[in-house]
Amino acid sequence: MSTILKVEALRVAIGALTPLSSVSFSLEKGETLGLVGESGSGKSLTAMAIMGLLPLIGGRITGGSVVFDGSDLTALPEPAYRKLRGGRIGLITQNPMTSLDPLKKVGSQIDVVARLHLGLDKSAARNRTVELLGELRIPEPASIYHLYPHQLSGGMKQRIVIAMALAADPDLLIADEPTTALDVTVQAQIIRLLSDLIRDRGLSMVLITHDMSVVAQACDKVVVMYAGTAVEYGTVAAIFDDPRHPYTKALIGCIPRGLAGAQRLKGIEGTVPSVAHYPQGCRFHPRCPRAEAICAAVSPPFIASRDGAAACHFAGAVG
Ligand SMILES: Nc1ncnc2c1ncn2[C@@H]1O[C@H](COP(=O)(O)OP(=O)(O)O)[C@@H](O)[C@H]1O
Ligand SMILES: [Mg+2]
């Protein structure tokens, strides 16, 4: 297997703050990697850093590297980045309305991407778009082509956004909470659709979610993030079988079990600190059931586990 994306010791600053640090992972061709954590964990900043979008929010990469298919993107000039975005790297965001123009027919919005990045003429782009809509299991693609975003359901709109992200035939998809705005049954359909596309097209994907059940359903590997840093990574099989970080255990504990509706979705007690209030030592220690004095004082190193590692002082301990 060859590596399509390698992020190493990534560090991001916004003004005088450092909201993101020590994020490392590698993604092989054909794999899906999950970035998981509660809101405020640093998932979107990681995605923006990879996509070269930090300048939009006054941010910048201040350390580490982002290597895509062998070349470091951290020094890539904006014109080259513009080709890469929507070209070899497709982005799917949480809210379809930030990606879709309400005043244009959805089909023509997909055409534009293929024309720009693949140099197709008008009719070739149109044929390709209709084909793509069919591939996304959109019924009657030739008529959907002519509709405006407001004429479509949330799930359909998100399929259009996925079609836009695929239009230039990318190698890598970055999906930032692609189903968070949708209702539960539609969420599961969209995740299944994405997984099938990745498999059939041999694509790679970074799938961002706050939901461990999405990781279980769709990912090969996972990086668990908390308060702007990675706390555990590994294969999905190993992480679910034997989570080593108390935060990972807590996230897995949030997955509802049993009969639908029999148990309400649980959350983790407390909230993620904001960047101005990241604690000393282990950032999770104020919420951690296992915390001891060392946790408040010393930032834990990564301790290797089966097929991964966890940044917890007790990650090597039994239980
Ligand atoms: N534009 C910004 N300015 C200042 N801080 C920000 C900005 N965007 C994100 N942050 C901070 O960075 C941290 C991580 O945010 P984010 O990457 O959006 O988390 P997630 O996507 O996991 O919810 C949070 O503490 C957030 O407040
Ligand atoms: Mg986010």
Side-chain angles (χ1 to χ4, degrees):
M1 273 203 278
S2 62
T3 302
I4 183 86
L5 179 69
K6 194 169 175 64
V7 170
E8 222 156 20
L10 182 64
R11 191 179 180 84
V12 165
I14 301 175
L17 299 168
T18 301
L20 195 77
S21 57
S22 304
V23 177
S24 301
F25 59 83
S26 79
L27 174 62
E28 315 307 314
K29 283 188 179 145
E31 272 188 348
T32 295
L33 174 124
L35 283 185
V36 68
E38 293 162 286
S39 179
S41 295
K43 307 180 299 294
S44 292
L45 285 181
T46 305
M48 292 182 87
I50 296 167
M51 299 295 287
L53 294 172
L54 289 170
L56 291 181
I57 57 163
R60 63 196 192 281
I61 292 175
T62 51
S65 59
V66 175
V67 177
F68 171 70
D69 204 14
S71 40
D72 191 350
L73 301 184
T74 47
L76 197 69
E78 179 53 24
Y81 238 126
R82 226 172 284 141
K83 271 197 202 144
L84 206 62
R85 280 195 295 264
R88 295 194 62 201
I89 306 180
L91 180 66
I92 302 167
T93 55
Q94 176 176 339
N95 181 354
M97 292 323 283
T98 58
S99 314
L100 296 178
D101 183 337
L103 301 177
K104 295 203 174 90
K105 291 178 175 178
V106 293
S108 66
Q109 300 190 49
I110 303 167
D111 289 357
V112 167
V113 180
R115 295 180 67 182
L116 186 71
H117 288 281
L118 302 179
L120 299 185
D121 67 25
K122 209 171 169 166
S123 75
R126 204 196 131 145
N127 290 338
R128 200 169 171 286
T129 294
V130 174
E131 221 171 88
L132 199 52
L133 293 177
E135 200 184 333
L136 289 170
R137 297 173 203 156
I138 290 174
E140 298 183 58
S143 29
I144 296 286
Y145 181 99
H146 294 286
L147 298 182
Y148 291 89
H150 73 89
Q151 296 175 292
L152 298 171
S153 68
M156 274 306 163
K157 281 200 280 265
Q158 196 57 311
R159 279 169 214 246
I160 301 295
V161 172
I162 295 170
M164 278 172 80
L166 290 172
D169 212 3
D171 301 301
L172 173 66
L173 279 184
I174 301 197
D176 190 353
E177 310 232 23
T179 62
T180 301
L182 305 171
D183 74 48
V184 180
T185 42
V186 182
Q187 279 187 24
Q189 284 167 13
I190 298 278
I191 295 295
R192 202 169 314 122
L193 181 65
L194 275 172
S195 304
D196 291 350
L197 282 166
I198 297 302
R199 194 196 48 228
D200 297 346
R201 293 176 159 238
L203 284 171
S204 313
M205 176 162 69
V206 175
L207 178 57
I208 295 178
T209 177
H210 59 269
D211 184 346
M212 268 290 190
S213 59
V214 168
V215 172
Q217 191 192 337
C219 300
D220 303 295
K221 297 199 288 202
V222 59
V223 179
V224 180
M225 298 192 60
Y226 184 78
T229 191
V231 297
E232 182 160 11
Y233 60 86
T235 62
V236 167
I239 290 240
F240 276 86
D241 188 42
D242 187 19
R244 295 278 92 204
H245 198 288
Y247 184 59
T248 311
K249 290 180 196 177
L251 285 178
I252 293 172
C254 291
I255 299 177
R257 263 175 285 260
L259 295 170
Q263 197 172 343
R264 274 187 299 154
L265 194 66
K266 286 186 291 178
I268 305 170
E269 192 94 7
T271 53
V272 182
S274 69
V275 51
H277 301 98
Y278 288 164
Q280 290 294 305
C282 172
R283 289 180 185 170
F284 187 58
H285 86 265
R287 298 171 76 191
C288 183
R290 208 180 190 296
E292 294 181 19
I294 187 177
C295 305
V298 181
S299 173
F302 273 98
I303 296 174
S305 56
R306 175 158 67 89
D307 295 333
C312 169
H313 292 294
F314 310 113
V318 181

